[in-house]
Amino acid sequence: MNLGPTMDDTSEEEVTQIIDDLVAHQSQTLADRPVTEVLRSIDQTISRWLDPTSPERKEAEHRLPSTTGMSVQMLRHVLPLIFCEYTGKKLEQLCALELGTKDALDSFVLTASGHRKAVGPSLIINILAGNIPGAGLDSVLYSLIVKSATLVKASSSENILPEIFIRSLQTVD
């Protein structure tokens, strides 16, 4: 997945170009990508975050105390609690609860009331809160699962976790 640039001091014209690029990329690659592949990439990324020896976890534990006020010990406790909810299995179960089956994101599926297909918008904008580490990452993941390009505005007070997370997703995929 191409997750694109950061947007620190970005002009209106640059934001417009980023959005245009995201929408074009979504229609060229993400829209037709099997949801199983998206879930696999997310699951592999989450596995890295659940591993206390992974570079992502070590970096987060090192950098997050300065923006969250949490101790390293507290982060070692909290980070697995944040990420354990986003394993591929749990996200697939969520798709089944919401859509009947994850397959509805790839093709029409037969339901009691006929055939149905779930289609996400071409672009979703996520504005993340800065007061709770990990807040809003679920909406970023859900955006990707429905095959929507995702523009993320991280909080200026806590942009470390989203940055490391998106970079880890990019490393996996």
Side-chain angles (χ1 to χ4, degrees):
M1 279 177 226
N2 179 0
L3 299 172
T6 60
M7 297 183 48
D8 292 334
D9 294 315
T10 310
S11 71
E12 182 179 338
E13 294 80 19
E14 290 170 317
V15 171
T16 300
Q17 185 60 54
I18 290 168
I19 289 171
D20 290 345
D21 292 347
L22 283 169
V23 171
H25 182 74
Q26 185 273 342
S27 67
Q28 293 167 0
T29 60
L30 193 55
D32 295 325
R33 188 168 187 190
V35 71
T36 302
E37 286 183 18
V38 175
L39 289 169
R40 183 174 32 250
S41 293
I42 292 171
D43 189 59
Q44 289 172 356
T45 303
I46 296 304
S47 292
R48 294 171 71 108
W49 280 90
L50 293 174
D51 176 1
T53 65
S54 74
E56 293 84 359
R57 276 284 294 280
K58 288 182 179 285
E59 182 180 357
E61 290 170 4
H62 174 74
R63 293 179 60 199
L64 284 172
S66 66
T67 58
T68 65
M70 292 182 177
S71 67
V72 172
Q73 295 79 11
M74 179 59 80
L75 287 165
R76 286 182 182 147
H77 176 74
V78 168
L79 288 173
L81 296 176
I82 293 170
F83 289 103
C84 72
E85 294 304 312
Y86 307 122
T87 63
K89 182 178 180 178
K90 287 189 177 185
L91 292 174
E92 189 170 335
Q93 289 171 341
L94 179 63
C95 288
L97 284 172
E98 293 292 324
L99 305 171
T101 173
K102 69 176 175 25
D103 298 332
L105 291 160
D106 291 331
S107 60
F108 284 93
V109 295
L110 183 60
T111 67
S113 59
H115 288 83
R116 164 173 67 175
K117 181 179 180 185
V119 178
S122 58
L123 176 68
I124 295 176
I125 298 173
N126 291 281
I127 301 173
L128 307 186
N131 57 342
I132 302 171
L137 287 179
D138 55 349
S139 63
V140 173
L141 295 173
Y142 302 155
S143 299
L144 293 172
I145 291 168
V146 298
K147 306 178 188 186
S148 297
T150 305
L151 178 64
V152 177
K153 165 54 178 100
S155 167
S156 57
S157 64
E158 203 305 277
N159 56 10
I160 293 171
L161 185 60
E163 176 221 321
I164 300 170
F165 178 76
I166 290 172
R167 192 172 0 105
S168 67
L169 182 59
Q170 200 167 18
T171 297
V172 166
D173 190 328

